[in-house]
């Protein structure tokens, strides 16, 4: 009978099962008739039948005695038997079934019960009677799981009587018996560390470790329990000289028979084999007996003992013995690990062979099926052909990519060479300009001496001024003869017709040469710098580069028609400004500059003053002014077809749409004429999409979300989405249903989106008009997720920040978040009016014929310009240069302005940069304009907005930074005023 007190000390000392389960006299032999009447006997057995087997009888209280807690047996003990646990329920499953009671269990022993097939029973001893009673009340009659029909049957145990114990193993000396330990955690099986579970084959574990033990029995135990009494070799069926693999349980004959055991070792590298006759283990790798298996008298576990650890005459000290044992254990663990790895590789090779065989058989079956079915054979032939074509196309694609790299490098070389040629051309033009100024000065002074300067395309002849006289040629001759004797300073002579003709021819050659070589802005500058009298002598025509009839001094020829050259009209800035105020509606607060021409990043007013342009038409002229490719595209298309109605197809519109779709998230494009029109279309598309997506709703979502500091346009719908009150209030009521939230307030936006009333969310990834504020990736991603969950649309307004301005083709690419709709405009056509709405197929499917339209939208002229702009900006090297120049300029501004007391922050992305001041920025903008630098304001008027052409050079950026620095004192002056 199990002791009621703890047996941890006896277990630690190696006590046998006989000590743990003491055998009292048979029930009824003591004359206790009351106990005999209430108990029932049940035979059980446990242990390995080939090593040691324990048999006995459990005496259990009858079921009717303990049917309720009020009738628990008075003499009961904290010992309970659980009968009929299904075999498919592992020991770990049972421990999990016991739940929190496992900590109150001192011991569990798994036993076999006679008459119960495919089941096992469990003897459990608790730490106290209260725990045993609670366990009985909680689990008796309870299903093992919700899927099991069988319930847990348990009985209080009166007594356990042993009928016999059979031992087959050899015993080692007592001093060499291994202390009992858990095979999982390798700690001693002390009662203090938790309950102990002993399996049917007498292997003991901590209850908390059993769930990590993949197999609760060893190969030897399984063999002894499953094999017949007469063992045979698995290969040749002999029963002599048998060996059993300790790792996998393979039984084979030894080297003195057929040698199948050693063959198994060579095939699997499982080097440890148990000799069944002597119970010793042989190491094939070391070619020696390394240890023998004995049985622990404490828990019946088969343990290993190295033969070197056997005591000898001299004896070992405890420390040395422990050291040797630890070394041997570590060595054995390493060997076992390597063997298991080899075993894994072996079985993986078998699996690979099976897979290869399966694939081979499948191929054979497919071929057989194809041969029997002509249709399948035909399809297979087509498939093979398509696969071959795909391989061919892949090769072509690879070659094209390689050629693309080669051509890109060549293009870069050509561009570099063109830059050098342009530089040389500019130097030559400067030289020729200087020569032309010298010639004009000579003509002005009327010197009779021939200038020493030489021109390649003609020579400069002496020109004398002949005064006009009303007395006829004779009087003039006399006057000339009289003055001829007064010295060289007053000397004049009349030109002969041949001389006059020669002068005119040479001047015409000179003008033709310079008009071909020089830019129009340079010619305009020279033309404005010479005296008014020479304006009558020289007329320049920029478009045809031809020369009108020229007059020299007093030679009487026809005056030029100023209407043929409106850019050189003699009106000055003040006159143009006055006419503007007289004839044009005053919707713009213009700067007092009248611009006449531009080239690259430079602009020129009608007086010829040069400005470095950091506005690019408010982020419109991305390629600067007069880009050659853009000019060729526009002039070429204008000569062919400028405009037709959108009831007809045109090639440029389709080609531009294809390029926009290929370079973005979108599937479809709608063209319009401006950014505000694009946002109007996005508003209509969003509401139509919601109505299309909710056909059963009487009132689908129609409201919108916009954010503080935003600007989406000035037409009524887009104006309703613009946050500035002074823009909206004069025209109220505007479109209702718009809620403005703080830019970047994720929580408020998500909560409002989840209300189910929102049709679309409009947001600028980077706010331009609002003051150059950039969104965060987390903010945009939260909007994307909330919109997806609520079924509303996310609209990105990239009218100002899109198309390369940030160094990315589209600004949202920097954040990795993609919209349902994107609106574009400003830079798309390089200065011509265009807008575009890019949408996904999901949105486009809701739009039908007649839902929206525009007369001028997407005409051939603006679309040709758009193709030229998009092709150039979408080049990766171009975008990389924008990013590089933007960071360079931003760092330069931080370096030079970071210490300025008026500068609060310098922020931006790529070439959209803002300098926030603590005072209004208008005085600084005006001072920059006076110094030849054009910049803008933004935000609340205290932000300097810098959006230069994307082609601007670092040298021009350095020049702009220098002007900005020099103009900052104007802020203090403006503050004083």
């Amino acid at each position: 009978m199990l002791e009621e007190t703890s047996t941890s000390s006896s277990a630690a000392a190696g006590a046998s099962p006989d000590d743990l389960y003491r055998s009292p006299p048979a029930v009824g032999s003591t004359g206790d008739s009351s106990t005999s009447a209430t108990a029932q006997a049940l035979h059980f057995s446990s242990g390995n039948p080939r090593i040691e087997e324990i048999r006995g009888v459990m005496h259990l209280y009858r079921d009717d005695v303990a049917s309720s807690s009020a009738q628990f047996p008075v003499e009961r003990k904290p010992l309970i038997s659980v009968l009929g646990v299904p075999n498919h329920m592992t020991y770990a499953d049972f421990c999990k079934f016991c739940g929190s009671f496992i900590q109150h269990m001192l011991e569990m022993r798994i036993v076999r019960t006679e008459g119960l097939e495919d089941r096992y029973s469990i003897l459990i001893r608790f730490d106290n009677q209260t725990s045993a009673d609670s366990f009985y009340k909680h689990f008796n009659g309870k299903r093992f799981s919700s899927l099991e029909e069988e319930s847990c049957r348990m009985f209080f145990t009166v007594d356990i009587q042993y009928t016999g114990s059979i031992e087959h193993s050899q015993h080692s000396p007592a001093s060499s018996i291994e202390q009992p330990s858990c095979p999982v955690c390798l700690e001693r099986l002390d009662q203090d560390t938790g309950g102990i579970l002993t399996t049917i084959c007498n292997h003991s574990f901590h209850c908390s470790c059993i769930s990590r033990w993949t197999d609760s029995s060893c190969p030897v135990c399984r063999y002894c329990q499953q094999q017949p009494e007469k063992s045979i070799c698995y290969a040749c069926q002999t029963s002599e000289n048998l060996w059993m693999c300790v790792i996998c349980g393979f039984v084979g004959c030894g080297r003195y028979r057929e040698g199948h055991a050693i063959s198994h070792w060579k095939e699997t590298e499982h080097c440890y084999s148990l000799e069944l006759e002597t119970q010793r283990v042989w190491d094939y790798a070391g070619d020696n007996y390394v240890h023998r298996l004995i049985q622990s008298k404490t828990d019946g576990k088969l343990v290993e003992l190295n033969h070197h650890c056997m005591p000898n005459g001299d004896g070992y000290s405890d420390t040395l013995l422990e050291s040797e044992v630890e070394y041997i254990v570590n060595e054995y663990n390493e060997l076992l690990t390597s063997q298991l790895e080899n075993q894994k590789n072996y079985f993986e090779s078998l699996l690979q062979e099976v897979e290869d065989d399966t694939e081979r058989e499948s191929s054979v079956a497919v071929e057989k099926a194809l041969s029997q079915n002509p249709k399948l054979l035909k399809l297979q032939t087509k498939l093979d052909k398509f696969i071959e074509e795909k391989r061919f196309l892949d090769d072509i694609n690879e070659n094209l990519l390689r050629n693309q790299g080669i051509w890109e490098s060549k293009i870069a070389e050509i561009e570099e060479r063109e830059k050098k040629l342009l530089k040389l051309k500019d130097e030559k033009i400067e030289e020729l300009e200087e020569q032309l100024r010298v010639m004009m000065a000579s003509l002005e002074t009327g010197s009779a001496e021939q200038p020493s300067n030489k021109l390649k395309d003609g020579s400069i002849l002496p020109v004398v001024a002949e005064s006009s006289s009303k007395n006829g040629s004779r009087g003039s001759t006399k006057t000339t003869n009289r003055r001829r004797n007064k010295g060289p300073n007053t000397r004049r002579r009349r030109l002969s017709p041949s001389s006059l003709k020669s002068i005119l021819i040479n001047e015409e050659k000179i003008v033709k040469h310079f008009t071909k070589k020089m830019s129009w802005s340079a010619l305009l500058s020279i033309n404005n710098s010479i005296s008014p009298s020479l304006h009558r002598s020289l007329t320049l025509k920029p478009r045809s580069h031809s020369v009108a009839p020229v007059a020299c001094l007093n030679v009487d020829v026809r005056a030029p028609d100023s209407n043929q050259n409106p850019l050189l009209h003699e009106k000055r800035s003040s006159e143009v400004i006055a006419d503007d105020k007289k004839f044009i509606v005053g919707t713009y607060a213009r700067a007092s500059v009248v611009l006449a021409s531009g080239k690259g990043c430079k602009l020129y007013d009608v007086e010829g003053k040069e400005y470095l342009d950091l506005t690019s038409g408010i982020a419109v002229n991305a390629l600067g002014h007069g880009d050659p490719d853009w000019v060729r595209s526009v002039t070429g298309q204008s000569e062919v077809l400028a405009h037709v109605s959108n009831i007809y197809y045109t090639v440029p519109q389709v080609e531009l749409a294809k390029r926009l779709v290929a370079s973005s998230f979108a599937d479809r494009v709608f063209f319009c004429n401006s950014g505000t029109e694009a946002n109007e279309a996005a508003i209509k598309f969003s509401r139509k999409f919601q109505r299309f997506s909710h056909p059963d709703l009487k009132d689908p979502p129609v409201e919108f979300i916009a954010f503080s500091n935003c600007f989406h346009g000035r037409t009524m719908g887009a104006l309703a989405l613009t946050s500035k009150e002074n823009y909206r209030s004069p025209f109220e009521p505007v479109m209702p249903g718009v809620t403005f939230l703080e830019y970047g307030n994720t929580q408020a936006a998500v909560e409002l989106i989840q209300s189910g009333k929102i049709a679309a969310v409009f947001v600028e990834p980077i706010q331009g008009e609002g003051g150059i504020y950039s969104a965060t990736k987390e903010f945009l991603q939260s909007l994307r997720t909330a919109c997806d969950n609520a079924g509303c649309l996310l609209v990105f307004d990239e009218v100002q920040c899109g198309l390369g301005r940030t160094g990315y083709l589209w600004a949202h690419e920097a954040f990795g978040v993609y919209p349902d709709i994107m609106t574009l405009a400003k830079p798309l056509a390089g200065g011509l009016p265009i807008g575009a709405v890019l949408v996904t197929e999901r949105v486009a499917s809701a739009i039908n014929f007649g839902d929206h339209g525009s007369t001028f939208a997407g005409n051939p002229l603006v679309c040709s310009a758009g193709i030229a702009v998009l092709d150039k900006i979408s080049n990766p090297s171009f975008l990389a240069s924008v990013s590089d120049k933007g960071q360079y300029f931003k760092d330069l501004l931080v370096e030079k302005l970071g210490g300025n007391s008026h500068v609060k922050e310098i922020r931006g992305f790529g070439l959209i940069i803002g300098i926030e001041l603590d005072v209004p920025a208008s005085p600084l903008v005006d001072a920059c304009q006076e110094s030849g630098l054009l910049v803008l304001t933004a935000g609340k008027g205290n932000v300097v907005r810098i959006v230069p052409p994307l082609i601007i050079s670092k040298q021009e950026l350095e020049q702009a930074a220098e002007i900005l620095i020099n103009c900052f004192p104007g802020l203090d002056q403006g503050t004083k005023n």
Side-chain angles (χ1 to χ4, degrees), residues 427-625:
E427 293 174 355
K428 186 64 176 177
I429 289 173
E430 291 177 0
E431 179 183 350
L432 294 175
E433 287 174 352
E434 181 64 26
Q435 294 178 7
L436 182 60
R437 279 194 290 272
V438 172
M439 180 199 73
M440 293 302 178
S442 300
L443 292 174
E444 181 72 15
T445 57
S447 174
E449 301 295 330
Q450 181 175 347
S452 59
N453 289 16
K454 301 293 183 179
L455 293 178
K456 294 181 179 179
D457 292 338
S459 59
I460 300 178
L461 297 177
V463 179
V464 295
E466 185 174 333
S467 62
S468 60
S469 176
K470 297 181 180 180
N471 298 325
S473 59
R474 184 175 179 181
S476 299
T477 304
K478 290 182 179 180
T479 303
T480 303
N481 291 333
R482 285 196 300 269
R483 290 179 180 178
R484 192 175 297 171
N485 300 322
K486 292 184 179 181
N489 294 332
T490 60
R491 183 181 176 186
R492 297 257 180 168
R493 64 183 179 88
R494 179 178 295 277
L495 296 176
S496 64
S498 60
S499 298
L500 178 59
K501 183 177 181 181
S502 176
I503 291 173
L504 293 176
I505 291 174
N506 280 280
E507 287 188 356
E508 185 174 357
K509 288 183 178 180
I510 292 170
V511 174
K512 284 183 177 180
H513 174 79
F514 283 115
T515 54
K516 289 180 180 178
K517 297 293 184 179
M518 296 172 63
S519 65
W520 170 240
S521 59
L523 291 172
L524 178 64
S525 177
I526 294 172
N527 186 59
N528 289 332
S529 65
I530 62 179
S531 66
S533 62
L534 288 181
H535 272 288
R536 296 192 298 270
S537 302
L538 180 65
T539 301
L540 305 177
K541 299 182 70 175
R543 295 191 181 276
S544 61
H545 299 291
S546 62
V547 180
V550 294
C552 181
L553 299 179
N554 292 335
V555 177
D556 188 16
V557 295
R558 180 174 55 86
D561 184 2
S562 60
N563 293 328
Q564 295 180 0
N565 199 355
L567 291 181
L568 290 182
H569 201 282
E570 292 190 0
K571 282 190 175 182
R572 291 294 178 253
S573 297
S574 58
E575 299 176 26
V576 175
I577 293 173
D579 288 346
D580 176 275
K581 293 180 179 180
K582 182 178 180 181
F583 297 109
I584 297 179
V585 178
T587 58
Y588 302 103
R590 302 184 193 268
S592 57
V593 176
V594 180
L595 298 174
S597 63
K599 186 65 177 178
C601 298
K602 303 293 180 62
L603 288 171
Y604 302 89
D605 63 15
V606 293
E607 282 80 21
K609 182 178 178 180
E610 180 181 274
Y611 298 89
L612 179 56
D613 182 16
L614 296 193
T615 68
S616 61
I618 312 183
V620 170
N621 302 106
L623 300 182
H625 306 282

Side-chain angles (χ1 to χ4, degrees), residues 5-177:
T5 60
S6 174
T7 60
S8 61
S9 60
S10 63
S16 67
D18 293 340
D19 298 327
L20 296 177
Y21 292 84
R22 189 174 302 159
S23 303
V27 176
S29 62
T30 61
D32 191 351
S33 59
S34 62
T35 303
S36 175
T38 59
Q40 56 182 342
L42 188 64
H43 293 273
F44 73 91
S45 64
S46 66
N48 192 328
R50 297 291 298 275
I51 300 175
E52 180 181 17
E53 185 178 25
I54 300 173
R55 298 182 183 274
V57 180
M58 295 185 292
H59 295 278
L60 312 175
Y61 283 101
R62 296 183 181 276
D63 197 20
D64 56 352
V65 175
S67 58
S68 66
S69 60
Q71 298 177 352
F72 281 164
V74 177
E75 299 178 358
R76 67 189 182 280
K77 300 174 182 178
L79 182 65
I80 291 179
S81 298
V82 181
L83 302 184
V85 181
N87 275 349
H88 64 77
M89 189 173 186
T90 65
Y91 309 148
D93 292 339
F94 184 82
C95 290
K96 186 176 180 181
F97 172 77
C98 294
S100 61
F101 285 91
I102 199 74
Q103 61 185 351
H104 298 290
M105 299 178 182
L106 297 180
E107 286 189 73
M108 286 194 294
R109 178 178 285 274
I110 312 300
V111 298
R112 308 181 194 88
T113 50
E114 296 182 2
L116 295 177
E117 300 293 336
D118 299 326
R119 285 171 172 78
Y120 60 88
S121 299
I122 305 177
L123 298 176
I124 307 175
R125 184 163 64 86
F126 289 85
D127 54 0
N128 56 63
Q129 189 62 53
T130 303
S131 299
D133 293 345
S134 299
F135 180 80
Y136 183 93
K137 287 188 292 183
H138 188 78
F139 290 102
N140 186 36
K142 182 179 179 181
R143 289 185 178 184
F144 288 109
S145 70
S146 59
L147 301 178
E148 292 280 353
E149 295 183 358
E150 300 180 6
S151 58
C152 178
R153 296 182 57 210
M154 58 180 64
F155 300 87
F156 284 104
T157 304
V158 180
D159 196 6
I160 297 178
Q161 183 177 6
Y162 287 86
T163 58
S165 176
I166 304 174
E167 296 185 5
H168 300 282
S169 61
Q170 298 179 353
H171 297 281
S172 59
S175 61
S176 64
I177 295 177

Side-chain angles (χ1 to χ4, degrees), residues 261 289 291 345 362 384 430 622 878 914:
Y289 287 106
H291 64 283
N345 295 335
S362 299
D384 294 339
E430 291 177 0
F878 185 93

Side-chain angles (χ1 to χ4, degrees), residues 43 66 168 292 310 343-344 363 569 685 690 771 917 932 956:
H43 293 273
H168 300 282
R292 57 193 177 89
M310 297 294 292
Q343 182 181 11
K344 172 188 172 184
S363 301
H569 201 282
F685 291 172
Q690 294 296 346
L917 308 177
E956 289 170 323

